[in-house]
Amino acid sequence: TFPDAQAIIDWFMYEEETLLKVFTCKKPVVAAINGHATAAGMIIAMGCDHRIAVNHPKIKMGMTEIKIGLALTPAEAELMRFGLSTDKNYREIIMRGELVNPEYALGREIIDELADDAQDLMAKAKAKVVALIDTPGRPFINLKLLQKQHAADWIRDGIARYDFNELVKVFTDPEILATLNFVKQSLK
């Protein structure tokens, strides 16, 4: 619930900057997924440098936004495009709004590895951070910059050109708000 149109714009501007910071962080950022990763959770995971999920068939990952009438912002869309890495994955997850389990996500290279449980997940995540950054000269920092700079520039330009008033329309639409409230209630 946003009190007014400006609050919607302000929130999404803040969110865009936060996503860009996660995406371009000079340190390794590892997504340690121990439960469902949908909507914002999935977006953040796709912005990370490495993704590990607990291998449990009930865990679901993906984006159902299209099914409830929500589009993506520039940073959200680019992190998803970058993280999903193929047009086919993007169409399946974003355009069809499909949810998948971790084993399927691994097979489609949406995530990088599986963990047996939460303890294994954290051990693998910590080990990956160490492996990426604890090297002579820390080349990871420059390699990540080179890998992500084009996408980061596109996000920055996209934020500058994006009409955030479109989000005001979406988040004041009674039908979309009713669906979001239904989803919110079902999570309790």
Side-chain angles (χ1 to χ4, degrees):
T1 56
F2 293 104
D4 56 40
Q6 190 58 50
I8 295 169
I9 293 169
D10 291 347
W11 192 91
F12 279 98
M13 291 293 291
Y14 179 81
E15 182 237 19
E16 292 291 277
E17 292 300 322
T18 301
L19 291 174
L20 187 56
K21 286 178 183 178
V22 167
F23 187 65
T24 60
C25 180
K26 289 183 178 182
K27 298 176 183 174
V29 181
V30 175
I33 304 163
N34 67 349
H36 297 309
T38 61
M42 182 69 168
I43 294 166
I44 291 169
M46 294 299 101
C48 293
D49 304 310
H50 193 78
R51 300 168 206 103
I52 309 166
V54 170
N55 188 16
H56 193 286
K58 289 189 177 180
I59 290 176
K60 297 295 179 196
M61 304 171 68
M63 302 285 288
T64 58
E65 278 65 6
I66 196 166
K67 292 181 177 181
I68 54 179
L70 303 175
L72 299 177
T73 61
E76 293 168 350
E78 188 62 10
L79 265 64
M80 291 302 297
R81 188 197 66 74
F82 195 91
L84 292 170
S85 74
T86 70
D87 180 59
K88 183 173 173 108
N89 283 346
Y90 189 89
R91 284 182 285 122
E92 183 175 308
I93 300 298
I94 302 297
M95 302 302 227
R96 293 187 193 125
E98 296 298 322
L99 297 177
V100 300
N101 66 36
E103 200 167 81
Y104 182 86
L106 179 67
R108 296 298 296 271
E109 299 179 349
I110 295 169
I111 61 171
D112 300 297
E113 61 182 301
L114 297 173
D116 296 328
D117 54 35
Q119 186 176 356
D120 185 38
L121 176 69
M122 292 311 296
K124 285 182 175 187
K126 290 175 183 178
K128 189 59 170 180
V129 169
V130 169
L132 289 172
I133 200 70
D134 283 350
T135 56
R138 295 193 168 184
F140 171 84
I141 296 168
N142 192 46
L143 292 170
K144 180 176 178 175
L145 174 67
L146 293 170
Q147 176 194 25
K148 294 188 173 183
Q149 188 64 55
H150 184 268
D153 290 345
W154 189 95
I155 291 169
R156 178 68 57 214
D157 186 52
I159 292 169
R161 290 184 291 112
Y162 189 71
D163 182 1
F164 283 87
N165 288 304
E166 291 298 317
L167 296 169
V168 173
K169 293 177 196 173
V170 168
F171 285 93
T172 57
D173 182 298
E175 187 177 350
I176 292 172
L177 290 175
T179 303
L180 289 172
N181 283 321
F182 174 79
V183 170
K184 181 180 170 184
Q185 291 302 316
S186 68
L187 296 173
K188 289 184 179 183

